[in-house]
Amino acid sequence: MALKVRFAKPAAGHHLRSRIVWGLLAAVGCVVLLGICVFTFFYIKYTSIVDERLKQPIFASTAQIFAAPREVRPGQKFTVQLMAKELREAGYSGDGAAQPSLLGTFSQGAQQITVRPGPQSYHAPDSATIHVSDGVVDAIRDEHGQALSSYELEPLLITGLSEGTQRTKRRVLTYDEIPPNLAHAVIAIEDRRFFEHSGIDYLRILGAMRNDIFHLHHYTEGASTLTQQLARGFFLTPERTYSRKMREAVISIILEHRFDKKQIFAMYANEIPLGQIGSFSIDGFGEASQDYFGKDVAQLDLAECALLAGLIQSPSRLNPFHHPERAIERRNLVLDSMVETGAISKDQAETAKREPLHLVPGSVDESEAPYFVDLVHDQLTQRLGDRDFNREGLRIYTSLDPELQRLASEAVDSTIHMVDAKVDKLHARDKKLGKPYVYPQVALIALDPRTGQVLALVGGRNYGASQVNHAVAHRPTGSIFKPFVYATAFQTAVEGTMLPEQTSLFSPVTMLDDSQATYGEGTPYEYSPRNFGGEYYGVITARYALMRSDNNATIKLAIMVGLDRVAALARSAGVKSAQATPSMAIGSYDATPLDMAGAYTVFSNSGVHIDPWMLASVRTPTGDIIDDYTPATRQVLDPRVAYLTTNMMEAVMNGGTAAGVRGMGFTAPAAGKTGTDHDAWFAGYTSSLLCIVWVGNDDYTDIKIEGADAAAPIWAAFMKKAILLPQYSDTNEFTPPDGVSLITLDKNTNLLADGACPDDYTAAFLDGTAPSETCDHKGLGAEDHRNMLQKIFGIGKNGN
């Protein structure tokens, strides 16, 4: 008998549960499949985007701009410590360095320093030992013990050229160039499992969610890995959306498949934004090391590495220049994190925490000479044409002196507010009524008067606010043009040519008529200039006319000499716009401040004009020379004429319109001239340094402030500190050439002085042109002196 087995029918509830399970599994499968499809879509899409981006160099090479090499000479004020500091800044390493620098090394003693250029140095590998005694270089010897007359130190890197409109600074590092302490600091504070995860740290995501939910940190902790941060910086915008986070994750996985961990870390270290200094964005640790600490990244200590790593979280909020307390607090947190990861010991951390912030003063705008660099960029474009010098990573060697550039920026920053105060005073009524008015702009150029080397250049009061370079803006030259009139007159004396209405060759005591006059009367060019302040002195000496910067006396001299001759001299000196009109004599035609700096080299350099230059050499990254540049020179004036004009400008500086700089504390031997014509100028030079300062309005309105009050204070502030630098400290008296003599004259009669003269002065004369008669004061009282002066010269008590 067969058994009949009966199966119980499934309960209705069981069927429902099965359907739900299978439905859920199907839904999950669909979601997973959809996720895979979406991920695959984005992976393929962003793989092509990443590939396209990676066809170009990740960080394009940029041309590097270097300063001029510092020349050390016996007799120069210089200390061993200062030389060692400069060599470190240039990238040299001391004897105690773990790894010798390829640029070079040095050995420092108490009174000597030995410099050894390396294979990547600008110079040939010729070492030298510099001996110092009491703060003065007393000997320089080569490796064989032979005495050297001078020795050049390694040029300092100023900056890299920025591309396009993005004002970003970056110094690219390889992974091996990143100090271990810096790598450990970044990993400890930003991504402790960096070398373990594959681009996304799921454990950290869960930990961050936990911390955010339970508020375990004062600041919510992000979950982004270094790879995700890199993906965000390279390929994505910074908005916070879920779609961006998905794209960020996909790109991170792609990057992890394309590169190894060291490559990713190096890219991150070069890309991460670390603040804003001046008008520049600072990207990467290489640049940040220079801008915050003034040193190469290899020279960072533990505390400095921790501070840079701490900036990553919020460069603006933690900026050590603006918020030092916050920066130190964050730095110390990084050090504690490094202890937790075992990167350093607790004792090392505590020692580093006691370190103060060793920040370098100033800003990128000051130290990197942005107006100067812009001009270098323009000259490179002109000389190299379409060549992509930036991507080639060329090494550009220039004329700049970084120390002098810093002083130039400081002089402008520390004195321009005094000019602004004068402007406020002039516009007091406008200010009260709320009417707008402008503050003036400024330019300063300093160059070596013997070589034409542009040592410092400031093209405006604030590069971040305006990139217009006023150093190359054409402006009326005003009275700093007048020395060219007097130089032309001296040239006629050298030629033996008598001026009209004169009975002797031109000299400092040639009498000129300073009364007001009208020129070109009855023509469309009728011109009736006034002296500044409306003062007229009648008949005065040429020397006194230049000292007082008198307009009418100067115009009349230009007419006597020949307006065409004055214009020809000016054009040959670089004032190309000069035309033979009466107004030319007092600076109505324009030139740039850089042009005028070059023009004044004819006075400071024995009559030789030197075109101001900024480019010295262009080389490949391996040091091969592409081109060396030699400045153009030409003899414009007889050396005697150059000195005679300089001597007249010494009188301007010591007792004329420029005498205010003496009251400002500048005491070195110098020659100079003020200028006022809508704009304010000051031109002056020592035996080792020439400086031009211009102050004026961008809208070409009259500044209504004299050069002595607007430009001279900036000049004095700069020059006072400049001549304290070792390389410019050897300021000497100007030496007369053969054929010129210094003669002492009585101030009242302008005749040869004797022991009885109560007041005298010394002036330079071309041989054969000085007065031959001696002043006789015997038996003459004060009233007799005045009567004689008025009778002979018509100049009353103002004499000379």
Side-chain angles (χ1 to χ4, degrees):
M1 183 172 177
L3 278 174
K4 293 184 178 179
V5 179
R6 294 187 178 187
F7 293 95
K9 292 183 178 180
H14 179 76
H15 282 293
L16 179 60
R17 285 193 300 273
S18 296
R19 283 196 294 268
I20 291 174
V21 170
W22 282 107
L24 288 174
L25 289 174
V28 170
C30 289
V31 170
V32 170
L33 182 62
L34 179 63
I36 292 172
C37 291
V38 170
F39 179 82
T40 303
F41 170 78
F42 278 108
Y43 189 91
I44 294 172
K45 176 182 177 180
Y46 283 100
T47 295
S48 63
I49 292 175
V50 170
D51 289 342
E52 187 66 29
R53 171 67 177 83
L54 296 179
K55 285 180 181 178
Q56 301 295 328
I58 296 174
F59 296 105
S61 297
T62 59
Q64 292 183 308
I65 309 294
F66 290 86
R70 166 76 70 85
E71 184 181 62
V72 183
R73 304 182 303 275
Q76 199 176 64
K77 295 177 182 176
F78 221 157
T79 65
V80 169
Q81 292 75 18
L82 191 58
M83 278 185 270
K85 177 177 179 291
E86 187 160 315
L87 287 168
R88 288 191 192 95
E89 289 175 356
Y92 277 46
S93 58
D95 279 344
Q99 184 174 356
S101 169
L102 293 176
L103 276 172
T105 62
F106 66 91
S107 302
Q108 180 180 351
Q111 293 185 303
Q112 67 180 42
I113 186 167
T114 299
V115 184
R116 295 177 291 270
Q120 292 185 2
S121 172
Y122 171 73
H123 301 297
D126 299 325
S127 63
T129 299
I130 303 169
H131 301 267
V132 178
S133 177
D134 296 326
V136 176
V137 177
D138 59 9
I140 305 174
R141 301 191 181 279
D142 65 16
E143 54 197 281
H144 305 296
Q146 297 296 314
L148 300 175
S149 60
S150 64
Y151 187 78
E152 288 187 344
L153 302 181
E154 191 71 27
L156 296 175
L157 177 65
I158 305 170
T159 186
L161 286 180
S162 289
E163 293 191 78
T165 58
Q166 292 185 343
R167 301 201 53 73
T168 298
K169 295 297 180 186
R170 177 186 286 112
R171 303 187 189 207
V172 179
L173 304 171
T174 65
Y175 181 83
D176 291 337
E177 292 172 326
I178 300 169
N181 277 336
L182 181 56
H184 292 153
V186 172
I187 290 171
I189 197 66
E190 289 293 324
D191 189 357
R192 295 187 181 183
R193 298 184 65 249
F194 172 70
F195 284 100
E196 301 167 26
H197 62 66
S198 59
I200 301 173
D201 190 346
Y202 302 102
L203 292 178
R204 190 177 180 196
I205 292 173
L206 294 174
M209 292 173 61
R210 178 203 63 194
N211 293 338
D212 289 348
I213 291 171
F214 295 103
H215 303 288
L216 298 182
H217 294 289
H218 180 65
Y219 297 108
T220 56
E221 181 182 348
S224 295
T225 64
L226 296 187
T227 313
Q228 287 176 281
Q229 294 179 47
L230 179 64
R232 185 187 316 149
F234 265 125
F235 305 101
L236 301 171
T237 55
E239 82 275 8
R240 291 174 175 269
T241 62
Y242 288 111
S243 61
R244 194 219 65 188
K245 292 296 291 183
M246 178 181 289
R247 295 194 298 271
E248 178 184 296
V250 172
I251 292 174
S252 297
I253 294 172
I254 295 170
L255 290 175
E256 290 276 349
H257 281 85
R258 289 284 193 277
F259 302 101
D260 63 36
K261 287 292 187 178
K262 288 184 178 181
Q263 290 173 312
I264 291 173
F265 190 89
M267 285 189 284
Y268 176 86
N270 289 310
E271 184 273 337
I272 191 70
L274 291 169
Q276 183 89 14
I277 301 182
S279 61
F280 292 91
S281 172
I282 306 306
D283 285 2
F285 294 118
E287 185 65 35
S289 176
Q290 287 289 340
D291 297 329
Y292 289 115
F293 303 115
K295 61 173 70 172
D296 186 81
V297 68
Q299 299 169 348
L300 294 175
D301 62 26
L302 174 59
E304 291 163 343
C305 289
L307 186 136
L308 292 185
L311 290 178
I312 296 171
Q313 184 192 60
S314 180
S316 177
R317 188 178 64 83
L318 299 170
N319 186 307
F321 287 116
H322 302 149
H323 309 292
E325 297 84 4
R326 295 178 189 171
I328 289 175
E329 181 182 359
R330 179 68 177 174
R331 178 198 69 182
N332 294 347
L333 178 61
V334 173
L335 291 167
D336 289 338
S337 298
M338 294 177 73
V339 173
E340 291 175 7
T341 61
I344 60 174
S345 67
K346 188 168 183 60
D347 288 343
Q348 287 176 301
E350 293 304 317
T351 300
K353 286 180 183 181
R354 290 192 291 272
E355 283 289 316
L357 296 178
H358 299 293
L359 303 174
V360 292
S363 71
V364 175
D365 283 357
E366 292 177 356
S367 63
E368 296 197 352
Y371 294 102
F372 178 92
V373 171
D374 284 351
L375 289 177
V376 168
H377 184 279
D378 293 343
Q379 291 188 11
L380 284 170
T381 302
Q382 292 170 6
R383 298 189 184 200
L384 300 182
D386 295 332
R387 184 167 185 164
D388 196 347
F389 51 83
N390 216 340
R391 286 196 178 277
E392 289 184 52
L394 299 184
R395 297 163 70 95
I396 315 300
Y397 293 94
T398 72
S399 62
L400 193 78
D401 182 328
E403 282 188 289
L404 209 61
Q405 178 65 34
R406 176 180 56 81
L407 294 183
S409 297
E410 288 176 358
V412 170
D413 292 343
S414 65
T415 53
I416 195 65
H417 70 279
M418 295 189 292
V419 180
D420 292 346
K422 294 180 185 296
V423 172
D424 286 334
K425 189 174 180 180
L426 286 170
H427 293 273
R429 182 174 176 79
D430 292 338
K431 189 174 184 179
K432 188 174 181 180
L433 296 174
K435 292 183 179 180
Y437 55 91
V438 298
Y439 289 110
Q441 275 291 350
V442 63
L444 184 154
I445 296 98
L447 53 79
D448 187 325
R450 300 154 298 191
T451 66
Q453 175 183 350
V454 177
L455 300 164
L457 186 146
V458 177
R461 59 192 294 158
N462 186 314
Y463 189 82
S466 172
Q467 290 81 54
V468 175
N469 196 337
H470 300 87
V472 290
H474 288 266
R475 309 293 297 211
T477 60
S479 293
I480 66 168
F481 181 88
K482 289 176 180 174
F484 293 96
V485 176
Y486 292 86
T488 309
F490 279 124
Q491 189 69 36
T492 65
V494 168
E495 297 166 359
T497 303
M498 199 88 68
L499 295 180
E501 304 176 12
Q502 297 292 320
T503 59
S504 59
L505 296 177
F506 181 79
S507 77
V509 294
T510 294
M511 308 308 296
L512 302 176
D513 180 10
D514 186 44
S515 60
Q516 188 172 12
T518 299
Y519 307 94
E521 194 168 1
T523 71
Y525 307 102
E526 185 172 314
Y527 180 54
S528 300
R530 293 169 53 84
N531 285 346
F532 191 86
E535 294 183 295
Y536 301 91
Y537 298 94
V539 179
I540 56 175
T541 64
R543 180 175 183 270
Y544 191 67
L546 187 60
M547 287 175 64
R548 300 300 306 167
S549 196
D550 289 318
N551 289 337
N552 280 278
T554 303
I555 292 173
K556 289 170 184 174
L557 176 60
I559 292 171
M560 283 194 286
V561 170
L563 294 172
D564 55 342
R565 290 197 61 169
V566 177
L569 171 61
R571 288 194 295 269
S572 65
V575 188
K576 302 297 185 183
S577 66
Q579 300 295 320
T581 64
S583 64
M584 167 201 62
I586 58 175
S588 63
Y589 292 96
D590 61 40
T592 70
L594 189 59
D595 289 338
M596 293 310 296
Y600 264 63
T601 61
V602 302
F603 303 129
S604 60
N605 194 41
S606 300
V608 177
H609 179 274
I610 307 179
D611 289 339
W613 60 274
M614 287 168 274
L615 273 178
S617 181
V618 177
R619 303 187 181 188
T620 66
T622 58
D624 295 330
I625 297 174
I626 294 174
D627 210 346
D628 287 333
Y629 301 104
T630 303
T633 64
R634 56 188 178 276
Q635 190 78 40
V636 172
L637 286 176
D638 186 290
R640 294 168 291 179
V641 172
Y643 178 80
L644 291 165
T645 311
T646 291
N647 185 260
M648 293 257 282
M649 284 192 278
E650 284 188 272
V652 176
M653 184 77 82
N654 294 328
T657 57
V661 300
R662 299 302 191 192
M664 298 171 197
F666 180 77
T667 59
K673 184 70 187 75
T674 55
T676 307
D677 183 9
H678 276 79
D679 301 344
W681 293 80
F682 194 93
Y685 52 95
T686 67
S687 59
S688 60
L689 196 59
L690 188 158
C691 178
I692 302 286
V693 175
W694 166 88
V695 180
N697 293 329
D698 270 338
D699 61 3
Y700 284 83
T701 54
D702 191 344
I703 190 175
K704 297 181 180 178
I705 306 174
E706 297 178 54
D709 295 326
I714 299 172
W715 188 94
F718 169 68
M719 292 292 285
K720 277 192 301 184
K721 293 185 177 179
I723 62 173
L724 297 178
L725 295 177
Q727 58 270 42
Y728 310 109
S729 59
D730 52 348
T731 55
N732 302 309
E733 296 284 351
F734 299 105
T735 304
D738 292 340
V740 174
S741 301
L742 294 173
I743 307 295
T744 302
L745 303 179
D746 170 54
K747 193 171 185 180
N748 286 327
T749 64
N750 297 307
L751 298 177
L752 296 175
D754 60 18
C757 294
D759 198 4
D760 58 30
Y761 67 95
T762 300
F765 286 84
L766 183 69
D767 286 353
T769 64
S772 57
E773 297 181 18
T774 301
C775 179
D776 185 2
H777 287 276
K778 295 177 181 178
L780 293 178
E783 187 64 29
D784 296 316
H785 287 302
R786 282 193 293 271
N787 291 339
M788 178 178 65
L789 193 62
Q790 292 169 352
K791 181 178 179 181
I792 298 176
F793 301 112
I795 55 177
K797 65 181 180 180
N798 289 312
N800 72 345

